[in-house]
Amino acid sequence: MSTENEGNEVPPAPSAPPVPVASPTAPQGAVPAGNEPTAPLPPVPQDAPAIAGAQPDPAAGAQPGGPGTPHAPGPHAPGPSAPGAAPGGSWPPPPSGTPPYGEGPSHGAGGFGGGGTDGPGVWGASYQQPAPKPRSGRGGLVAAVLVAALVAGGLGGGLGYTLAKDSDNNGSTTVSASDSNAAQVRRAPGTIANVAAKSLPSTVTIEAESNSGEGGTGTGFVFDTQGHIVTNNHVVADALDGGKLTATFPNGRKYDAEVVGHAQGYDVAVIKLKNPPSDLKPLALGDSDKVAVGDETIAIGAPFGLSNTVTTGIISAKNRPVASSDGSSTSKASYMSALQTDASINPGNSGGPLLDASGAVIGINSAIQSTNSGGGFGGSGQAGSIGLGFAIPINQAKYVAQELIKNGKPVYAKIGASVSLEDSTNGAKITDQGAAGSAAVEAGGPADKAGLKPGDVITKLDDMVIDSGPTLIGEIWTHKPGDKVTITYKRGGQEHTAELTLGSRAGDN
């Protein structure tokens, strides 16, 4: 794993020019104080309409990028960094015949500049032995005292070394923290460390590969003891139609897997381990309807392929309408009324669990808001977390997963009316014509029975405000076929309400 230099200059180290061992005095010329800076080390180079509740349109709504990590070459190393500015002053002067550090290309203010000539006492100049001075008797006495002092100093130094060595052999003088206190304070029930320790063994890193060798990495979690793993549809999409799928647990155990069922519209998929172990521990499922803004969240995943990564945050919004796709021309959008979290979620977190403070799953991490103009789940130029992650509420995902395990295909709720997918703040408008030339209001469908007509603008579904077609679809899909809902709509400037029973559509086609 490579890291990028953040541009910080290497701090100069205090130094003074060396003095020749055989010299009784220092070289001639000005000698800087011991805290004068030396030359810093140069920085290291771095290398059109759709039936509401039916198959969605890929151009719908906002397009947050899903955090699944594609297999791609490693990040391109940036070009070599320009050398950092050197501290001011001219110490130390350069060796004879060598231009001073900083000459040549400009290094900016404060770089080594000024003189490049050698003079007496400069760095690198030859040492000149000073002429001896006549000694007096007093000088001889001083020399004798110095010799005695050096002998005593040598004895003292040797004794000190011996005592220090014996002290090292007898034990350390450092103080260690109490292991019991650390366990009680940091890993007590309900703490992040405790939740992570219990939840990580039930998460897997998923690798999907197509027949052509393309693929990506995502995350999933143990759904039941039979070996079913829940994840995102876009995580396993590459392995469909004969591709390869594997799931790796944090302890290193790796299993081949197969897709049991996938729901593109919900962005939910279920895979099953081949020859699953007998000690699987499914994660407990929470109640996403009871989640409140401000509740703590814990996300587990493999951001950028870094398996078993734990991040934390809060629920920053609920019922956030999200339409997501991978940005490709053939991609169809997924819709959700999402839990929004500021826990760090990046490509590779897709399909991983979003947990509450007790460790219960409240959502499946599915998409991120991206400032990347290309958008999408993968490809080059992937964006990182900006604190806007979106998770499919577990109440919805649980229903979808159970349908996939039971029937192998998803079942969607619908009202049987085609609505515009254009961005709007006024509501979801029923179009004049349906997809592929079909009727905008399905004959005998829920909307038809409730009296809805082309041109009507739906503004509420129960108490949820509807501001666009994608929002309506996402909200319908939080319900099950057969649920009764109240529709508020406008016709000719007048507001009306109607009750209807949601219909159903099986499969993604």
Side-chain angles (χ1 to χ4, degrees):
M1 181 177 68
S2 62
T3 58
E4 292 187 358
N5 188 301
E6 295 299 324
N8 297 326
E9 296 180 359
V10 178
S15 179
V19 178
V21 175
S23 305
T25 60
Q28 295 178 3
V31 178
N35 60 355
E36 287 293 333
T38 62
L41 297 174
V44 180
Q46 302 292 323
D47 289 324
I51 297 176
Q55 183 62 46
D57 191 303
Q63 299 286 326
T69 300
H71 290 320
H76 296 289
S81 303
S90 59
W91 186 264
S96 178
T98 303
Y101 184 82
E103 287 189 352
S106 174
H107 289 265
F112 280 115
T117 60
D118 293 336
V122 298
W123 189 276
S126 60
Y127 176 75
Q128 302 295 328
Q129 177 73 30
K133 296 182 179 180
R135 294 185 179 182
S136 63
R138 183 180 180 87
L141 177 61
V142 171
V145 172
L146 288 175
V147 171
L150 289 173
V151 172
L155 292 173
L159 179 61
Y161 171 78
T162 302
L163 292 175
K165 182 177 180 182
D166 291 343
S167 177
D168 288 343
N169 292 336
N170 291 335
S172 174
T173 59
T174 59
V175 179
S176 299
S178 169
D179 290 339
S180 59
N181 288 342
Q184 291 175 3
V185 174
R186 299 180 182 179
R187 299 182 182 88
T191 60
I192 294 171
N194 179 266
V195 170
K198 291 183 177 180
S199 303
L200 275 168
S202 297
T203 62
V204 297
T205 298
I206 298 173
E207 294 184 15
E209 185 176 323
S210 68
N211 290 324
S212 62
E214 297 179 350
T217 300
T219 310
F221 63 92
V222 178
F223 188 67
D224 57 28
T225 59
Q226 285 73 46
H228 291 109
I229 305 292
V230 172
T231 185
N232 282 145
N233 173 76
H234 73 263
V235 168
V236 304
D238 285 323
L240 299 175
D241 301 323
K244 182 180 179 181
L245 197 64
T246 61
T248 306
F249 285 85
N251 61 7
R253 292 186 302 176
K254 188 172 185 177
Y255 297 87
D256 290 332
E258 59 186 355
V259 178
V260 172
H262 61 101
Q264 180 274 323
Y266 291 121
D267 198 18
V268 174
V270 176
I271 67 175
K272 186 176 183 180
L273 306 178
K274 297 179 180 179
N275 301 314
S278 59
D279 58 349
L280 289 176
K281 295 182 179 180
L283 289 181
L285 305 183
D287 187 347
S288 52
D289 290 340
K290 295 181 179 180
V291 171
V293 172
D295 283 352
E296 291 181 317
T297 58
I298 302 169
I300 300 179
F304 300 104
L306 301 175
S307 302
N308 316 317
T309 296
V310 177
T311 56
T312 65
I314 62 169
I315 292 292
S316 52
K318 291 182 62 177
N319 303 313
R320 182 70 74 192
V322 172
S324 63
S325 77
D326 63 8
S328 67
S329 59
T330 58
S331 173
K332 296 180 179 179
S334 299
Y335 298 90
M336 68 185 89
S337 182
L339 296 175
Q340 178 180 304
T341 180
D342 67 349
S344 182
I345 295 175
N346 288 284
N349 276 105
S350 283
L354 184 68
L355 311 172
D356 63 16
S358 71
V361 181
I362 55 175
I364 301 177
N365 300 315
S366 182
I368 57 175
Q369 181 65 45
S370 172
T371 58
N372 177 17
S373 60
F377 293 133
S380 61
Q382 291 181 3
S385 172
I386 58 173
L388 290 172
F390 305 99
I392 304 165
I394 195 59
N395 289 6
Q396 176 184 3
K398 177 182 177 181
Y399 160 74
V400 176
Q402 290 172 335
E403 286 294 322
L404 292 176
I405 293 172
K406 181 180 179 181
N407 302 313
K409 57 185 178 181
V411 177
Y412 297 90
K414 69 173 187 177
I415 64 171
S418 178
V419 296
S420 172
L421 298 180
E422 296 180 358
D423 291 338
S424 172
T425 58
N426 300 321
K429 182 179 179 179
I430 300 178
T431 58
D432 294 329
Q433 191 175 38
S438 62
V441 178
E442 179 185 331
D448 184 34
K449 291 179 179 179
L452 294 175
K453 298 179 179 180
D456 291 347
V457 179
I458 299 173
T459 58
K460 280 186 178 182
L461 191 151
D462 289 334
D463 294 328
M464 181 62 59
V465 175
I466 303 300
D467 60 3
S468 66
T471 301
L472 176 62
I473 296 173
E475 188 59 29
I476 289 173
W477 286 355
T478 65
H479 293 76
K480 301 176 184 178
D483 286 353
K484 293 183 178 181
V485 297
T486 299
I487 296 291
T488 301
Y489 64 96
K490 288 184 178 180
R491 178 187 296 169
Q494 299 295 317
E495 188 172 271
H496 306 271
T497 60
E499 292 187 356
L500 57 81
T501 300
L502 296 175
S504 67
R505 174 179 63 84
D508 280 318
N509 297 324

